[in-house]
Amino acid sequence: MMGSADVPARKRGRPPTAGSEPGGEVQSLDRAISILDVLASADGLPLSEVGRRLSLPTSTLHRLVTTLEKRELVKHDAQSGLWSVGVGLFRMGSSYLRTRKLPEIGLPILRQLNASLNETVNLSLLEGREVVCVAQVESHEPVRAFFRLGARMPVHASGAGKALLAASAERKQDEWLESLDLKRFTDRTYTKMAGLRADLQRTAQRGFAVDDEEHAVGMRCAAAVIFNEYANPVGAVSISAPTIRLPLERLDDLGERVREAAAQLTALYTGVKP
């Protein structure tokens, strides 16, 4: 009688699917996505150009675009002969716009920035005439910046607020400034409109805002703005730290770091590659 040890063990799970590639990718699906990516980068392309860019044989390419066309993911202009993305892709993309949440999208970027600097990193959104802290990764230093989630910050005396103001359209910025109460928090707070406007001009030129002890004595902050798909400012990412660890000579470096983080968040939020 044959022992059980002589019977080859049956592998669990489904057998490999024909056309699969290493890493679990299905070749035809990967090619279809590549076609959509190429078409999305142009206003219309002939099929021969799509095939050239992707090094795909004509028969394979035609089969794939025919399937995508049935799903309205691509469309063909019979007059010009050009292919482009279809309305079905727009419907799918619109569902992302309905469900996206900047705090959830941004948290991994905040963690990366915190890990490289070990300083408190915040994500703030615009709400009324204030900015609200909606996500935060704290520093582990014994002395550190801290803002509780949901805390409201004045626009004129915070890095995030000034970043948002500086990035707003001129008319919108004027409306904001006219309605602001320039309340004094420290000796460095802007309480005169001329000084605040000059600071906003500097912020727009360098691409990041600075809170130089304007809200709290002994604390500095660098912040950069996050945009939506219409190039409107919707939030800001900021790095806050005690002045002893954030001297003025470090601000350019940290400003560049928050600019990069904000650009990544803009790309993730809008789906548009930087």
Side-chain angles (χ1 to χ4, degrees):
M1 184 176 179
M2 185 178 293
S4 58
D6 298 323
V7 179
R10 181 180 177 181
K11 294 182 179 180
R12 302 181 66 179
R14 294 183 178 181
T17 304
S20 63
E21 295 180 329
E25 295 178 349
V26 178
Q27 188 179 59
S28 58
L29 177 59
D30 185 62
R31 286 173 169 175
I33 293 171
S34 297
I35 291 170
L36 294 175
D37 196 35
V38 167
L39 291 178
S41 68
D43 293 330
L45 291 172
L47 207 58
S48 58
E49 176 60 16
V50 178
R52 186 191 68 79
R53 294 188 185 187
L54 298 176
S55 300
L56 288 177
T58 302
S59 58
T60 300
L61 182 60
H62 189 269
R63 185 175 68 251
L64 290 170
V65 296
T66 300
T67 302
L68 293 171
E69 187 179 25
K70 288 178 181 177
R71 295 285 187 172
E72 297 185 314
L73 298 178
V74 302
K75 64 179 181 179
H76 178 241
D77 187 325
Q79 186 173 357
S80 66
L82 301 180
W83 290 81
S84 57
V85 294
V87 68
L89 201 60
F90 173 77
R91 287 196 296 266
M92 293 180 181
S94 296
S95 67
Y96 171 75
L97 298 181
R98 292 195 306 270
T99 59
R100 63 183 174 175
K101 293 180 176 62
L102 190 53
E104 294 177 6
I105 296 169
L107 199 53
I109 303 297
L110 301 189
R111 287 172 176 155
Q112 291 174 14
L113 200 54
N114 168 266
S116 64
L117 297 170
N118 193 24
E119 297 294 354
T120 299
V121 184
N122 298 296
L123 176 63
S124 302
L125 299 182
L126 197 57
E127 188 171 307
R129 300 298 177 185
E130 299 172 303
V131 288
V132 181
C133 181
V134 295
Q136 181 183 85
V137 182
E138 279 190 75
S139 167
H140 293 108
E141 295 288 343
V143 179
R144 61 188 182 274
F146 172 76
F147 309 96
R148 63 178 177 81
L149 292 182
R152 295 176 177 271
M153 300 287 288
V155 172
H156 71 290
S158 64
K162 291 194 294 180
L164 286 158
L165 267 179
S168 298
E170 185 176 354
R171 182 177 177 181
K172 183 70 174 178
Q173 185 184 110
D174 287 340
E175 291 177 0
W176 271 62
L177 292 175
E178 289 171 5
S179 67
L180 287 180
D181 173 20
L182 301 186
K183 178 182 176 181
R184 182 185 297 276
F185 293 91
T186 75
D187 290 341
R188 292 180 176 270
T189 305
Y190 287 107
T191 57
K192 302 292 184 182
M193 194 59 69
L196 179 58
R197 284 186 180 275
D199 187 282
L200 295 179
Q201 289 179 354
R202 291 192 296 272
T203 295
Q205 290 171 357
R206 67 190 171 204
F208 64 92
V210 172
D211 169 4
D212 186 12
E213 300 186 82
E214 295 156 41
H215 185 257
V217 175
M219 287 291 170
R220 286 196 179 103
C221 167
V225 73
I226 303 160
F227 295 93
N228 65 12
E229 61 274 16
Y230 303 108
N232 294 323
V234 293
V237 58
S238 61
I239 302 169
S240 301
T243 54
I244 193 171
R245 291 202 306 274
L246 184 46
L248 292 175
E249 54 267 27
R250 282 196 67 200
L251 282 174
D252 284 344
D253 176 56
L254 264 64
E256 186 59 33
R257 300 287 288 274
V258 292
R259 281 182 58 187
E260 292 174 0
Q264 291 179 50
L265 283 169
T266 295
L268 289 171
Y269 187 65
T270 62
V272 178
K273 295 180 180 179

